[in-house]
Amino acid sequence: MRWYRPLYLSKNTADQIDKIREKAAAGAWVPGIYFVTLSSEPGHLLDLFHNTILKESIFRDVQRLDIVGVAQGRMEALRMVEKIVKDKYQETGGFDVTAWFPEEYFTDSEGA
């Protein structure tokens, strides 16, 4: 699991992010928290996951999650995805996710 810097945070997650990151690293459930991640599917932009997916072995052991946003509740998470796409398109003029989120802006689970 890697975390984008600067991480997109909703108003309801900004004060809790250290606790959320700690629980995510431990694979623990955090009620109502959704992660916005880079898509693992070629040609797609972003994925949206409820944090309970961290209990699934494919996400723990196989698939790397590149988390770019954390939101409280599904609707807040959907609004965040919309904001990210609008912001990044305005910044870059395109839909190239690698340009949106360069490698050097990610830290691993332990990196704060």
Side-chain angles (χ1 to χ4, degrees):
M1 176 181 331
R2 299 186 320 159
W3 299 83
Y4 177 68
R5 290 292 192 155
L7 188 64
Y8 278 81
L9 298 170
S10 66
K11 66 178 180 172
N12 295 322
T13 59
D15 293 340
Q16 311 173 53
I17 191 58
D18 291 335
K19 183 181 244 184
I20 292 168
R21 285 174 56 112
E22 182 180 302
K23 287 189 173 199
W29 178 63
V30 186
I33 296 298
Y34 283 79
F35 296 127
V36 179
T37 69
L38 299 185
S39 182
S40 60
E41 195 64 33
H44 293 194
L45 300 175
L46 301 168
D47 289 332
L48 183 61
F49 293 108
H50 188 272
N51 77 90
T52 55
I53 59 98
L54 297 175
K55 292 183 180 275
E56 301 296 326
S57 62
I58 190 166
F59 291 102
R60 278 193 326 267
D61 306 331
V62 179
Q63 182 177 346
R64 183 179 74 200
L65 291 179
D66 289 331
I67 299 171
V68 298
V70 180
Q72 176 76 40
R74 183 166 171 79
M75 288 308 297
E76 197 170 78
L78 290 169
R79 284 191 291 273
M80 179 178 285
V81 167
E82 179 182 18
K83 177 177 177 27
I84 291 171
V85 171
K86 284 181 179 178
D87 287 354
K88 295 300 183 178
Y89 182 79
Q90 287 178 345
E91 286 175 23
T92 67
F95 292 102
D96 178 5
V97 175
T98 57
W100 287 5
F101 302 105
E103 282 290 316
E104 61 267 19
Y105 287 94
F106 283 93
T107 60
D108 63 19
S109 292
E110 291 77 38

